[in-house]
């Protein structure tokens, strides 16, 4: 059984009828129901329940990283830098969730995930994940530069009127939303793809963007879900990320299996050997 049917368990073989036939430039995508995010969250919660200790451990690690970054931003630049970095959390979150895809993958294969398996699985696609991290870093730096330019709209006099503040927030939100959409579309399904199959970064990113553009309403609903849950994490002084980041990572894995048909790409070994 393969990921051709998302309800089936992913096995260790491909279904490319001709081994010499070149792989397509992008993985075929399926049409998704707008209610699919609910199913993804249910699948993510089931994965969390099957590996609670490992999930909480990664959640605590993500919380610590987020807290250290926020503390450093507050210490170095006050609330302005803190707000900028918190807004740029969308660029960091996909990388924090990368290792967690292995947990859902092991559960999908019928195994009980362990910390060692998770670390090994995160290390195997090291080159591709490093390239993707560099891409995200470049996007983040461009966004940070754009955010600093937006500060020209911030009222410089002593009296701040609501009209001026709304203009500043509106321009900043519009600029940030462009970079956020690019990051979301490029990473939402590409990172699980990289974590599961022998695929290059370009193919994974193009596949992800294609699936997002072809399922606009479903992916809009998923983006809103991610934003709301991220806001809850910030509202709880980031403590909520202990639960939220693993849950979103697992749900994203189920979304990836639901959205992309990746049978033509060889699967990565799950436990140090080819299955």
């Amino acid at each position: 059984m393969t990921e051709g049917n998302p309800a089936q368990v992913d096995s260790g073989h491909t279904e490319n009828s001709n081994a010499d036939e070149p792989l397509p430039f992008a993985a075929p995508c399926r049409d998704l129901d707008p209610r699919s995010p609910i199913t993804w969250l249910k699948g993510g919660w089931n994965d969390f329940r099957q590996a609670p200790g490992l999930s909480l451990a990664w959640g605590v690690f993500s919380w610590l990283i987020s807290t250290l970054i926020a503390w450093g931003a507050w210490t170095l630049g006050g609330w302005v830098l803190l707000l900028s970095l918190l807004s740029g959390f969308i660029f960091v979150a996909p990388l924090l969730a990368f290792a967690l895809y292995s947990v859902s993958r092991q559960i999908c294969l019928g195994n009980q995930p362990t910390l060692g398996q998770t670390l090994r699985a995160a290390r195997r696609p090291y080159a591709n994940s490093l390239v993707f991290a560099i891409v995200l870093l470049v996007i983040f730096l461009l966004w940070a530069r754009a955010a600093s330019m937006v500060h020209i709209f911030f009222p410089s006099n002593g009296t701040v009127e609501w009209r001026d503040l709304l203009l500043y927030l509106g321009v900043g939100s519009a600029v940030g939303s462009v970079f956020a959409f690019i990051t979301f579309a490029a990473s939402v399904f590409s990172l699980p793809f990289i974590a599961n199959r022998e695929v290059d970064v370009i193919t994974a990113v193009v596949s992800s963007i294609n699936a997002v553009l072809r399922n606009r309403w479903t992916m809009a609903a998923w983006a809103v879900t991610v934003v709301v849950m991220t806001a809850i994490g910030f509202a709880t002084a980031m403590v909520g990320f202990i639960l939220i980041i693993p849950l979103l990572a697992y749900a994203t894995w189920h979304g990836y299996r639901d959205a992309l048909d990746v049978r033509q790409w060889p699967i990565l070994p799950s436990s140090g050997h080819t299955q």
Side-chain angles (χ1 to χ4, degrees):
M1 293 184 291
T2 70
E3 288 167 326
N5 181 351
Q8 294 176 328
V9 175
D10 190 4
S11 73
H13 64 275
T14 64
E15 293 187 5
N16 194 348
S17 57
N18 187 350
D20 297 327
E21 182 180 341
L23 293 169
F25 186 61
C29 70
R30 305 183 181 92
D31 293 329
L32 301 174
D33 190 286
R35 295 167 294 182
S36 294
I38 298 175
T39 303
W40 303 345
L41 286 172
K42 289 180 179 179
W45 179 243
N46 288 334
D47 291 351
F48 193 103
R49 293 176 59 189
Q50 292 191 53
L54 189 56
S55 301
L56 290 175
W58 279 107
V60 170
F61 173 75
S62 301
W63 169 71
L64 288 174
I65 294 296
S66 304
T67 302
L68 288 174
I69 292 175
W71 176 82
W74 176 262
T75 302
L76 296 175
W79 72 271
V80 175
L81 182 58
L82 176 61
L83 182 61
S84 298
L85 285 179
L86 292 182
S87 301
F89 183 78
I90 189 173
F91 303 100
V92 180
L95 297 177
L96 289 177
F98 184 76
L100 288 164
Y101 299 137
S102 173
V103 177
S104 285
R105 183 173 184 253
Q106 291 298 321
I107 294 174
C108 177
L109 291 168
N111 302 327
Q112 180 61 38
T114 64
L115 180 60
Q117 288 175 337
T118 304
L119 293 175
R120 287 192 297 271
R123 189 174 65 246
R124 288 191 189 99
Y126 175 77
N128 282 331
S129 58
L130 181 60
V131 170
F132 197 92
I134 294 174
V135 171
L136 285 183
L137 177 61
V138 171
I139 296 176
F140 175 71
L141 292 176
L142 290 173
W143 176 87
R145 180 60 178 171
S148 65
M149 296 175 65
V150 169
H151 281 296
I152 64 175
F153 293 95
F154 191 80
S156 58
N157 52 30
T159 303
V160 178
E161 298 184 0
W162 278 106
R163 182 178 59 185
D164 298 328
L165 185 59
L166 289 176
L167 175 62
Y168 167 70
L169 293 176
V171 173
S173 299
V175 172
S177 63
V178 173
F179 289 96
F181 171 77
I182 294 173
T183 304
F184 173 78
S187 64
V188 62
F189 296 137
S190 60
L191 285 176
F193 196 177
I194 291 171
N196 187 40
R197 297 276 174 162
E198 295 180 5
V199 61
D200 61 274
V201 173
I202 294 177
T203 298
V205 169
V206 171
S207 301
S208 180
I209 294 175
N210 180 51
V212 170
L213 293 179
R214 290 174 63 91
N215 294 279
R216 295 181 181 86
W217 292 111
T218 301
M219 298 315 297
W222 180 239
V224 169
T225 301
V226 172
V227 169
V228 170
M229 296 186 72
T230 301
I232 294 173
F234 286 133
T236 57
M238 300 189 188
V239 175
F241 285 138
I242 296 175
L243 174 63
I244 290 172
I245 288 182
L247 177 59
L248 287 179
Y250 300 154
T252 300
W253 167 265
H254 289 278
Y256 145 76
R257 296 190 68 242
D258 201 11
L260 298 181
D261 182 354
V262 299
R263 289 173 292 177
Q264 292 178 280
W265 284 264
I267 193 169
L268 291 172
S270 65
S271 301
H273 60 277
T274 302
Q275 299 181 40

